[in-house]
Amino acid sequence: MIAPAFAFAAVMLRLALVALGLTGLLASALARAAEPPMASAQRKELISVRQQWTQRCDPSSGAPNASGPAAARDSGTAPPVVQMRDVDFRITGDIGFHVHQLTAQLVAHKPGQPVDMDDPGQFDIRILGGEVTVPKESLDALFNQYLLDYSPRSLNALSLTPGDGVLDVSGGLKLRNHFPGVWLPFGMRGTLALKESRYLVYTPTEARVMGIQTLALLKGMGLELSQLAPLNRPGAKLDGNDMVLDQYTVFPPPRLIGQMKTARVTPDGLVLGFGPAPAMCAPAPTDAASRIWIQSGDLKMYNVLVTNSRILVTDTSTRGPLRFDLYHYREAAARGTTRMDADGTLRVDLAPAAAVQ
Protein backbone atom coordinates (compact mmCIF):
# COMPACT_ATOMS: atom_id res chain seq x y z
CA MET A 1 0.00 0.00 0.00
CA ILE A 2 2.86 2.36 0.78
CA ALA A 3 4.54 2.00 -2.64
CA PRO A 4 1.40 2.81 -4.66
CA ALA A 5 0.82 5.80 -2.40
CA PHE A 6 4.30 7.15 -3.12
CA ALA A 7 3.84 6.58 -6.84
CA PHE A 8 0.50 8.38 -6.77
CA ALA A 9 2.07 11.30 -4.87
CA ALA A 10 4.91 11.54 -7.41
CA VAL A 11 2.46 11.62 -10.31
CA MET A 12 0.42 14.34 -8.63
CA LEU A 13 3.60 16.38 -7.97
CA ARG A 14 4.58 16.19 -11.63
CA LEU A 15 1.11 17.27 -12.69
CA ALA A 16 1.30 20.18 -10.27
CA LEU A 17 4.67 21.29 -11.66
CA VAL A 18 3.37 21.07 -15.22
CA ALA A 19 0.35 23.09 -14.21
CA LEU A 20 2.56 25.71 -12.59
CA GLY A 21 4.71 25.90 -15.73
CA LEU A 22 1.68 26.32 -17.95
CA THR A 23 0.34 28.92 -15.57
CA GLY A 24 3.65 30.83 -15.76
CA LEU A 25 3.67 30.73 -19.54
CA LEU A 26 0.05 31.83 -19.64
CA ALA A 27 0.76 34.66 -17.22
CA SER A 28 3.75 35.78 -19.29
CA ALA A 29 1.70 35.67 -22.48
CA LEU A 30 -1.12 37.63 -20.84
CA ALA A 31 1.39 40.17 -19.54
CA ARG A 32 2.83 40.57 -23.03
CA ALA A 33 -0.66 40.89 -24.44
CA ALA A 34 -1.45 43.54 -21.87
CA GLU A 35 1.85 45.36 -22.55
CA PRO A 36 1.35 48.91 -23.82
CA PRO A 37 2.10 49.28 -27.55
CA MET A 38 4.94 51.73 -26.87
CA ALA A 39 6.64 49.21 -24.56
CA SER A 40 6.22 46.48 -27.16
CA ALA A 41 7.77 48.72 -29.83
CA GLN A 42 10.68 49.52 -27.52
CA ARG A 43 11.23 45.81 -26.91
CA LYS A 44 11.34 45.05 -30.64
CA GLU A 45 13.76 47.93 -31.24
CA LEU A 46 15.95 46.68 -28.38
CA ILE A 47 16.14 43.23 -29.96
CA SER A 48 17.31 44.82 -33.21
CA VAL A 49 20.00 47.04 -31.69
CA ARG A 50 21.24 44.26 -29.43
CA GLN A 51 22.03 42.30 -32.57
CA GLN A 52 24.21 45.23 -33.64
CA TRP A 53 25.83 45.52 -30.22
CA THR A 54 26.78 41.84 -30.17
CA GLN A 55 28.25 41.64 -33.67
CA ARG A 56 31.74 40.18 -33.34
CA CYS A 57 34.92 41.27 -35.06
CA ASP A 58 38.00 39.06 -35.22
CA PRO A 59 40.40 40.02 -38.04
CA SER A 60 43.05 37.58 -36.85
CA SER A 61 42.46 33.86 -36.42
CA GLY A 62 45.47 33.76 -34.11
CA ALA A 63 44.06 36.18 -31.56
CA PRO A 64 45.56 35.49 -28.12
CA ASN A 65 42.18 35.91 -26.41
CA ALA A 66 39.74 33.58 -28.12
CA SER A 67 36.10 34.58 -28.41
CA GLY A 68 33.78 33.13 -25.81
CA PRO A 69 30.27 33.51 -24.45
CA ALA A 70 29.17 37.05 -23.73
CA ALA A 71 28.49 38.27 -20.19
CA ALA A 72 27.47 41.57 -18.66
CA ARG A 73 31.10 42.63 -18.06
CA ASP A 74 32.79 40.52 -20.75
CA SER A 75 31.60 40.61 -24.35
CA GLY A 76 33.51 37.40 -25.09
CA THR A 77 34.85 38.95 -28.29
CA ALA A 78 38.42 39.04 -29.58
CA PRO A 79 40.69 41.85 -28.30
CA PRO A 80 39.88 45.40 -29.46
CA VAL A 81 40.95 46.13 -33.02
CA VAL A 82 42.20 49.63 -33.74
CA GLN A 83 42.61 51.18 -37.17
CA MET A 84 44.50 54.46 -37.52
CA ARG A 85 44.75 56.66 -40.58
CA ASP A 86 47.02 59.73 -40.79
CA VAL A 87 47.51 60.06 -37.02
CA ASP A 88 50.36 61.59 -35.01
CA PHE A 89 50.39 58.86 -32.38
CA ARG A 90 52.35 59.75 -29.27
CA ILE A 91 52.91 57.44 -26.34
CA THR A 92 53.83 60.47 -24.26
CA GLY A 93 55.18 63.89 -25.18
CA ASP A 94 57.06 63.67 -28.48
CA ILE A 95 57.83 59.95 -28.13
CA GLY A 96 55.88 58.12 -30.81
CA PHE A 97 55.45 58.05 -34.57
CA HIS A 98 53.30 59.26 -37.44
CA VAL A 99 50.85 56.61 -38.59
CA HIS A 100 50.18 56.55 -42.31
CA GLN A 101 47.93 53.55 -41.80
CA LEU A 102 47.95 50.92 -39.11
CA THR A 103 45.75 48.08 -37.94
CA ALA A 104 46.48 46.50 -34.57
CA GLN A 105 44.92 44.65 -31.67
CA LEU A 106 45.08 45.85 -28.08
CA VAL A 107 45.74 42.67 -26.12
CA ALA A 108 45.50 42.55 -22.32
CA HIS A 109 48.21 40.48 -20.66
CA LYS A 110 45.58 38.52 -18.72
CA PRO A 111 43.08 36.78 -21.03
CA GLY A 112 39.51 37.80 -20.31
CA GLN A 113 40.49 41.15 -18.81
CA PRO A 114 39.46 44.41 -20.51
CA VAL A 115 42.17 46.63 -21.96
CA ASP A 116 42.81 49.38 -19.41
CA MET A 117 43.72 52.55 -21.29
CA ASP A 118 44.94 54.09 -18.02
CA ASP A 119 47.49 51.30 -17.45
CA PRO A 120 49.68 50.99 -20.59
CA GLY A 121 51.78 48.31 -18.92
CA GLN A 122 48.69 46.08 -18.73
CA PHE A 123 48.36 45.45 -22.48
CA ASP A 124 50.33 45.11 -25.73
CA ILE A 125 49.76 46.70 -29.13
CA ARG A 126 49.83 43.75 -31.52
CA ILE A 127 50.46 45.21 -34.97
CA LEU A 128 48.70 43.37 -37.80
CA GLY A 129 49.79 45.59 -40.70
CA GLY A 130 50.48 49.12 -41.86
CA GLU A 131 53.25 51.71 -42.08
CA VAL A 132 54.58 54.35 -39.68
CA THR A 133 57.32 56.99 -39.72
CA VAL A 134 59.40 57.91 -36.67
CA PRO A 135 60.44 61.55 -37.30
CA LYS A 136 63.54 63.32 -35.99
CA GLU A 137 61.80 64.98 -33.02
CA SER A 138 60.47 61.61 -31.89
CA LEU A 139 63.88 59.95 -32.26
CA ASP A 140 65.51 62.70 -30.19
CA ALA A 141 62.81 62.48 -27.50
CA LEU A 142 62.99 58.68 -27.42
CA PHE A 143 66.69 58.70 -26.60
CA ASN A 144 67.01 61.82 -24.46
CA GLN A 145 63.81 61.48 -22.44
CA TYR A 146 63.55 57.70 -22.16
CA LEU A 147 66.47 55.50 -23.20
CA LEU A 148 69.14 57.80 -21.70
CA ASP A 149 67.13 58.83 -18.65
CA TYR A 150 69.55 57.36 -16.11
CA SER A 151 72.88 58.13 -14.44
CA PRO A 152 75.75 57.61 -14.79
CA ARG A 153 75.62 57.23 -18.57
CA SER A 154 78.08 57.40 -21.45
CA LEU A 155 75.90 59.24 -24.01
CA ASN A 156 74.14 62.56 -23.60
CA ALA A 157 71.96 65.06 -25.51
CA LEU A 158 71.75 63.03 -28.70
CA SER A 159 70.57 64.52 -31.97
CA LEU A 160 69.49 61.97 -34.60
CA THR A 161 69.13 63.34 -38.12
CA PRO A 162 67.73 60.97 -40.76
CA GLY A 163 68.77 61.42 -44.37
CA ASP A 164 68.51 59.52 -47.61
CA GLY A 165 69.52 56.03 -46.50
CA VAL A 166 71.76 57.26 -43.68
CA LEU A 167 71.30 58.34 -40.07
CA ASP A 168 73.56 60.94 -38.45
CA VAL A 169 73.96 60.86 -34.68
CA SER A 170 75.71 63.54 -32.61
CA GLY A 171 75.91 64.46 -28.96
CA GLY A 172 78.08 64.13 -25.89
CA LEU A 173 80.28 61.15 -25.08
CA LYS A 174 81.80 60.32 -21.73
CA LEU A 175 84.67 57.87 -22.10
CA ARG A 176 84.64 54.94 -19.71
CA ASN A 177 87.15 55.56 -16.90
CA HIS A 178 88.46 58.69 -18.64
CA PHE A 179 87.77 62.40 -18.17
CA PRO A 180 85.03 61.95 -15.54
CA GLY A 181 82.41 64.68 -15.72
CA VAL A 182 83.46 65.87 -19.19
CA TRP A 183 81.19 65.37 -22.20
CA LEU A 184 83.24 65.08 -25.39
CA PRO A 185 81.53 66.05 -28.66
CA PHE A 186 81.08 63.10 -30.99
CA GLY A 187 79.32 62.29 -34.24
CA MET A 188 78.49 59.19 -36.27
CA ARG A 189 77.02 58.39 -39.65
CA GLY A 190 75.64 54.97 -40.40
CA THR A 191 73.03 52.78 -42.03
CA LEU A 192 70.05 50.88 -40.69
CA ALA A 193 69.19 47.23 -41.29
CA LEU A 194 66.28 45.03 -40.24
CA LYS A 195 67.07 41.80 -38.40
CA GLU A 196 64.69 38.94 -37.61
CA SER A 197 61.64 41.14 -38.36
CA ARG A 198 62.09 42.73 -34.92
CA TYR A 199 65.47 44.40 -34.45
CA LEU A 200 66.79 47.60 -36.03
CA VAL A 201 70.58 47.47 -36.31
CA TYR A 202 72.42 50.77 -36.75
CA THR A 203 75.94 50.25 -38.11
CA PRO A 204 78.22 53.32 -38.18
CA THR A 205 80.34 53.77 -41.27
CA GLU A 206 82.25 56.65 -39.70
CA ALA A 207 82.63 58.05 -36.19
CA ARG A 208 84.37 61.10 -34.78
CA VAL A 209 85.27 62.14 -31.24
CA MET A 210 86.37 65.77 -30.92
CA GLY A 211 86.66 65.79 -34.71
CA ILE A 212 89.05 62.82 -34.81
CA GLN A 213 88.12 59.79 -36.91
CA THR A 214 87.64 57.02 -34.37
CA LEU A 215 86.57 53.72 -35.96
CA ALA A 216 89.92 52.91 -37.57
CA LEU A 217 91.72 54.04 -34.43
CA LEU A 218 89.60 51.77 -32.23
CA LYS A 219 90.06 48.86 -34.61
CA GLY A 220 93.81 49.31 -34.49
CA MET A 221 93.65 49.23 -30.69
CA GLY A 222 91.43 46.15 -30.67
CA LEU A 223 88.53 48.10 -29.16
CA GLU A 224 84.87 48.62 -30.08
CA LEU A 225 82.39 51.43 -29.44
CA SER A 226 80.58 49.39 -26.78
CA GLN A 227 83.81 49.33 -24.76
CA LEU A 228 84.29 53.06 -25.21
CA ALA A 229 80.72 54.07 -24.34
CA PRO A 230 78.64 51.15 -23.01
CA LEU A 231 74.87 51.23 -23.49
CA ASN A 232 72.65 48.36 -22.37
CA ARG A 233 69.07 49.41 -21.78
CA PRO A 234 65.77 47.59 -22.33
CA GLY A 235 65.14 48.17 -26.01
CA ALA A 236 68.58 49.57 -26.92
CA LYS A 237 72.16 48.39 -26.56
CA LEU A 238 75.57 48.84 -28.13
CA ASP A 239 76.77 45.47 -29.40
CA GLY A 240 80.33 45.85 -30.60
CA ASN A 241 80.15 48.82 -32.97
CA ASP A 242 76.43 48.34 -33.70
CA MET A 243 73.47 49.88 -31.90
CA VAL A 244 70.60 47.39 -31.71
CA LEU A 245 67.03 48.60 -31.11
CA ASP A 246 64.34 46.12 -30.08
CA GLN A 247 60.97 47.08 -31.57
CA TYR A 248 59.11 45.36 -28.72
CA THR A 249 60.64 47.40 -25.90
CA VAL A 250 62.43 50.41 -27.37
CA PHE A 251 59.36 52.59 -26.69
CA PRO A 252 57.73 53.12 -23.29
CA PRO A 253 54.84 50.72 -22.54
CA PRO A 254 52.74 49.31 -24.04
CA ARG A 255 54.95 46.88 -25.94
CA LEU A 256 54.73 47.03 -29.73
CA ILE A 257 54.45 43.44 -30.95
CA GLY A 258 54.53 42.75 -34.68
CA GLN A 259 56.52 41.50 -37.63
CA MET A 260 58.36 44.32 -39.39
CA LYS A 261 58.67 43.71 -43.11
CA THR A 262 60.70 46.77 -44.11
CA ALA A 263 62.80 49.48 -42.48
CA ARG A 264 64.36 52.40 -44.32
CA VAL A 265 65.80 55.81 -43.52
CA THR A 266 64.38 58.85 -45.32
CA PRO A 267 64.71 62.59 -44.68
CA ASP A 268 61.27 62.37 -43.02
CA GLY A 269 62.43 59.75 -40.52
CA LEU A 270 62.57 56.00 -40.03
CA VAL A 271 59.85 54.39 -42.15
CA LEU A 272 58.75 51.03 -40.75
CA GLY A 273 56.48 48.72 -42.72
CA PHE A 274 54.44 45.84 -41.29
CA GLY A 275 52.84 44.50 -44.45
CA PRO A 276 49.29 44.97 -45.71
CA ALA A 277 46.70 45.61 -43.02
CA PRO A 278 43.73 43.20 -42.85
CA ALA A 279 40.29 44.57 -43.58
CA MET A 280 38.22 45.78 -40.66
CA CYS A 281 34.99 43.98 -39.86
CA ALA A 282 33.09 47.23 -40.33
CA PRO A 283 34.37 50.40 -42.01
CA ALA A 284 34.89 53.50 -39.91
CA PRO A 285 31.62 55.49 -39.73
CA THR A 286 33.26 58.66 -41.06
CA ASP A 287 34.91 60.07 -44.16
CA ALA A 288 37.50 61.99 -42.09
CA ALA A 289 40.98 61.38 -43.51
CA SER A 290 42.56 61.43 -40.03
CA ARG A 291 40.91 59.08 -37.55
CA ILE A 292 41.17 56.31 -34.99
CA TRP A 293 38.52 53.59 -35.23
CA ILE A 294 38.23 50.91 -32.54
CA GLN A 295 35.86 47.97 -32.63
CA SER A 296 35.34 44.70 -30.78
CA GLY A 297 36.77 43.72 -27.43
CA ASP A 298 36.38 45.40 -24.07
CA LEU A 299 37.98 48.73 -23.11
CA LYS A 300 38.20 50.47 -19.76
CA MET A 301 38.56 54.25 -19.95
CA TYR A 302 38.47 56.47 -16.88
CA ASN A 303 36.30 54.27 -14.66
CA VAL A 304 33.95 53.22 -17.48
CA LEU A 305 33.90 49.76 -19.05
CA VAL A 306 32.89 49.62 -22.73
CA THR A 307 32.12 46.11 -23.96
CA ASN A 308 32.25 45.06 -27.63
CA SER A 309 33.68 48.50 -28.35
CA ARG A 310 32.79 50.85 -31.19
CA ILE A 311 34.80 54.05 -30.68
CA LEU A 312 35.65 56.70 -33.27
CA VAL A 313 38.21 59.41 -32.49
CA THR A 314 38.60 62.48 -34.72
CA ASP A 315 39.63 66.12 -34.36
CA THR A 316 37.50 68.58 -36.29
CA SER A 317 39.67 71.52 -35.19
CA THR A 318 42.50 70.63 -37.58
CA ARG A 319 42.78 69.84 -41.26
CA GLY A 320 45.98 67.94 -40.64
CA PRO A 321 46.62 64.75 -38.68
CA LEU A 322 44.98 64.45 -35.29
CA ARG A 323 47.45 64.14 -32.43
CA PHE A 324 46.71 61.40 -29.93
CA ASP A 325 48.78 61.16 -26.73
CA LEU A 326 48.14 57.80 -25.06
CA TYR A 327 49.42 58.75 -21.61
CA HIS A 328 47.33 61.94 -21.62
CA TYR A 329 44.21 60.84 -23.50
CA ARG A 330 41.95 61.80 -20.58
CA GLU A 331 42.93 65.47 -20.71
CA ALA A 332 42.36 65.61 -24.47
CA ALA A 333 39.01 63.80 -24.27
CA ALA A 334 37.87 66.05 -21.41
CA ARG A 335 38.56 69.15 -23.52
CA GLY A 336 36.59 67.76 -26.45
CA THR A 337 33.10 66.33 -26.88
CA THR A 338 31.74 62.79 -26.76
CA ARG A 339 28.41 61.61 -28.10
CA MET A 340 26.78 58.26 -28.79
CA ASP A 341 25.11 56.95 -31.93
CA ALA A 342 22.03 54.74 -31.87
CA ASP A 343 24.15 51.66 -32.61
CA GLY A 344 26.32 52.32 -29.54
CA THR A 345 29.24 53.96 -31.35
CA LEU A 346 31.06 56.47 -29.15
CA ARG A 347 32.21 59.48 -31.17
CA VAL A 348 35.05 61.38 -29.51
CA ASP A 349 35.97 64.73 -31.06
CA LEU A 350 39.23 66.08 -29.62
CA ALA A 351 38.47 69.60 -30.85
CA PRO A 352 38.25 71.82 -27.73
CA ALA A 353 34.60 72.35 -26.86
CA ALA A 354 33.15 75.76 -26.11
CA ALA A 355 33.11 76.64 -22.43
CA VAL A 356 29.82 75.92 -20.68
CA GLN A 357 28.25 79.13 -19.39
Side-chain angles (χ1 to χ4, degrees):
M1 294 294 294
I2 295 177
F6 273 119
F8 178 75
V11 170
M12 294 303 294
L13 179 59
R14 289 180 181 177
L15 290 174
L17 291 174
V18 170
L20 286 173
L22 291 174
T23 302
L25 290 174
L26 180 60
S28 176
L30 290 174
R32 292 284 179 87
E35 188 176 55
M38 63 180 63
S40 177
Q42 189 274 339
R43 185 188 301 278
K44 291 179 181 179
E45 182 181 1
L46 179 61
I47 292 173
S48 176
V49 296
R50 272 183 173 163
Q51 290 176 346
Q52 291 181 313
W53 295 342
T54 56
Q55 285 179 352
R56 297 189 172 196
C57 174
D58 186 358
S60 170
S61 59
N65 295 358
S67 299
R73 292 177 175 81
D74 181 0
S75 65
T77 58
V81 184
V82 57
Q83 180 194 68
M84 300 187 206
R85 291 288 185 273
D86 192 24
V87 173
D88 283 334
F89 180 82
R90 298 294 182 262
I91 297 172
T92 182
D94 283 329
I95 300 176
F97 38 82
H98 175 76
V99 174
H100 304 286
Q101 57 174 341
L102 191 74
T103 301
Q105 282 184 307
L106 309 180
V107 183
H109 292 167
K110 292 184 178 179
Q113 291 291 313
V115 171
D116 190 345
M117 295 291 288
D118 295 293
D119 184 5
Q122 179 257 3
F123 65 94
D124 296 334
I125 298 178
R126 181 173 175 265
I127 300 173
L128 303 177
E131 185 178 79
V132 305
T133 295
V134 188
K136 172 180 170 50
E137 60 269 21
S138 293
L139 289 170
D140 290 349
L142 175 63
F143 275 87
N144 296 319
Q145 298 173 21
Y146 182 60
L147 295 175
L148 298 180
D149 186 21
Y150 68 99
S151 293
R153 59 182 181 270
S154 298
L155 300 173
N156 189 60
L158 294 190
S159 174
L160 295 90
T161 304
D164 189 5
V166 296
L167 180 64
D168 292 332
V169 181
S170 61
L173 172 70
K174 188 177 291 185
L175 303 180
R176 169 177 276 185
N177 298 326
H178 294 280
F179 307 109
V182 177
W183 293 107
L184 304 178
F186 86 98
M188 294 189 297
R189 167 167 287 190
T191 58
L192 198 70
L194 177 60
K195 179 181 178 182
E196 299 176 9
S197 300
R198 171 175 173 176
Y199 301 98
L200 296 173
V201 181
Y202 175 71
T203 302
T205 54
E206 58 180 270
R208 304 173 307 280
V209 177
M210 299 182 66
I212 301 173
Q213 292 289 344
T214 308
L215 285 180
L217 182 62
L218 288 175
K219 184 177 180 180
M221 298 172 62
L223 297 175
E224 296 176 317
L225 286 176
S226 59
Q227 296 170 288
L228 193 68
L231 172 66
N232 190 2
R233 299 283 287 168
K237 69 175 181 178
L238 272 172
D239 184 10
N241 288 329
D242 295 338
M243 180 177 291
V244 181
L245 305 178
D246 183 352
Q247 169 211 315
Y248 287 15
T249 54
V250 70
F251 288 101
R255 293 185 304 175
L256 300 177
I257 309 297
Q259 297 291 311
M260 276 190 290
K261 305 296 184 183
T262 59
R264 53 195 175 91
V265 185
T266 74
D268 292 330
L270 306 187
V271 182
L272 310 177
F274 296 88
M280 296 290 280
C281 299
T286 181
D287 57 1
S290 179
R291 63 182 185 265
I292 299 174
W293 169 229
I294 303 173
Q295 58 180 309
S296 183
D298 303 333
L299 279 176
K300 181 175 176 291
M301 301 176 293
Y302 293 81
N303 203 29
V304 177
L305 177 63
V306 182
T307 60
N308 203 11
S309 310
R310 291 175 61 89
I311 302 172
L312 177 68
V313 182
T314 58
D315 186 347
T316 57
S317 68
T318 178
R319 294 184 179 179
L322 75 87
R323 181 185 174 103
F324 183 84
D325 189 319
L326 177 61
Y327 283 20
H328 300 93
Y329 84 92
R330 294 192 307 274
E331 294 93 321
R335 288 192 298 267
T337 56
T338 301
R339 64 184 179 87
M340 183 178 289
D341 291 351
D343 65 359
T345 299
L346 287 174
R347 292 179 178 263
V348 181
D349 186 353
L350 300 182
V356 178
Q357 301 296 328

